[in-house]
Amino acid sequence: MTPSRSVHVRAPGKINVALRVGSARADGYHPLATVFQAVTLYEDVVAEEAETISLTVTGRGADRVPTDSSNLAWRAARLLADATGTDAGAHLRITKGVPTAGGMAGGSADAAAALLACDLLWHTGLAREELGELAAELGADVPFALTGQTAVGVGRGDVLTPALARGRFTWVLALSDQGLSTPEVFRAWDAQNPDPVPVPEIDAELMHALVAGDPHGVARHLVNDLQPAAIALLPTLQDVVDAFEETAALAAIVSGSGPTVAALAARPEDAAEIAAYVAAAGVASDVLVVSGPALGARLVESVVSDPD
Ligand code: C5P
């Protein structure tokens, strides 16, 4: 028997530190100006040699994730196979750490990890830039999951420029067991903004505060244009934001299209108390402390097992 190979790749979830939205383009996508920060919540994808593409999912919120060809990681493997002309397959074992349908791009992280894992498993040898192009075909947030760290995104959010951020930022995340659908949140934004809206710019002071590693400055400029739409669909999100306001957190916003709410702590040592208060308020299904920036999709290990 030949030895079997597997490749383990890890990719991060993200917070939108700022998310500015303009009116939908002809293709239905909304032009964005956003600052992403990858955080220390990860999706782990192990790609094992197989005849065809298949997938299993375990971990946080796994019961809500499809395991057929509609899964974004499956589609990533398929796209890479088609783009490179390989007839190899892969069994993808996904372990979720990022909340499902939480506004933190967990599905996009799966897709980014699957692209890199299959590229290594199949020896298709694409450059990071080529993987980035395939990532953008899969979804607006997939390129950022590949690059990680802190970045400004424009276009659909997929045209990235790395941003400088000094030090580490400590975030407290309040999760909700009710998912929100991104297209629905954008439709609610459309209903709230019937007149044409040009996409606002990212505030230069936010970029300065990130470079300076100044959480107070960052907190003053946390902004999410999708927040009123997310709260219109899930009014209890306001209770979560209000609960954070009663703590030492500097500011709290809905992350991306929600429903995760992210609050910035001034210092790492403040985070446990903030988290305990919000957990006790009973407004969230789970409260987690994470930090950012985190690395983008990367190889954890590559294993060759001897069948004997
Ligand atoms: O690209 P992705 O599949 O992640 O986007 C999901 C949906 O979110 C899109 O089909 C669209 O309805 C909405 N969206 C948008 N504008 C963006 C990103 C996403 O309208 N910039």
Side-chain angles (χ1 to χ4, degrees):
M1 253 173 99
T2 50
S4 74
R5 296 176 51 247
S6 71
V7 175
H8 176 182
V9 169
R10 177 170 290 167
K14 59 79 184 166
I15 290 168
N16 298 83
V17 178
L19 176 54
R20 311 307 313 263
V21 178
S23 299
R25 318 185 302 203
D27 65 359
Y29 272 93
H30 294 70
L32 305 180
T34 187
V35 179
F36 293 108
Q37 182 158 84
V39 296
T40 52
L41 274 187
Y42 298 103
E43 298 286 291
D44 284 284
V45 175
V46 177
E48 298 165 344
E49 279 182 326
E51 297 280 307
T52 57
I53 296 171
S54 60
L55 178 144
T56 50
V57 184
T58 54
R60 181 171 280 136
D63 52 332
R64 290 188 282 151
V65 178
T67 54
D68 59 15
S69 61
S70 70
N71 183 292
L72 202 55
W74 182 310
R75 284 166 47 202
R78 180 79 267 142
L79 180 66
L80 178 68
D82 291 346
T84 57
T86 178
D87 56 8
H91 178 67
L92 303 173
R93 281 196 288 118
I94 300 178
T95 308
K96 298 193 60 65
V98 180
T100 300
M104 295 189 66
S108 299
D110 293 339
L115 275 179
L116 182 57
C118 290
D119 184 52
L120 294 168
L121 184 73
W122 297 338
H123 299 296
T124 38
L126 294 195
R128 273 268 165 170
E129 198 174 90
E130 293 170 308
L131 288 175
E133 283 165 18
L134 295 182
E137 282 184 45
L138 290 162
D141 287 338
V142 184
F144 179 71
L146 271 182
T147 58
Q149 307 280 9
T150 306
V152 175
V154 295
R156 299 177 303 152
D158 56 336
V159 180
L160 300 172
T161 307
L164 289 173
R166 183 169 297 142
R168 299 205 66 71
F169 294 89
T170 302
W171 299 93
V172 182
L173 304 177
L175 277 46
S176 163
D177 46 21
Q178 256 175 293
L180 276 177
S181 137
T182 303
E184 270 178 43
V185 175
F186 275 102
R187 275 199 292 277
W189 184 91
D190 291 337
Q192 290 174 341
N193 296 274
D195 297 325
V197 180
V199 58
E201 283 183 12
I202 298 294
D203 199 311
E205 283 180 24
L206 171 61
M207 305 317 293
H208 292 150
L210 286 166
V211 173
D214 168 20
H216 294 269
V218 171
R220 274 196 294 280
H221 297 286
L222 288 185
V223 57
N224 182 357
D225 289 342
L226 290 180
Q227 181 158 321
I231 291 175
L233 292 172
L234 193 58
T236 51
L237 284 183
Q238 188 62 52
D239 302 334
V240 184
V241 174
D242 292 347
F244 274 120
E245 269 166 19
E246 289 159 19
T247 70
L250 299 174
I253 46 162
V254 170
S255 171
S257 55
T260 304
V261 176
L264 186 56
R267 304 169 305 169
E269 52 270 38
D270 296 338
E273 202 178 313
I274 296 168
Y277 183 91
V278 173
V283 290
S285 63
D286 245 322
V287 184
L288 311 175
V289 177
V290 301
S291 67
L295 295 176
R298 67 192 188 281
L299 176 65
V300 176
E301 63 177 11
S302 182
V303 178
V304 181
S305 3
D306 186 342
D308 302 324

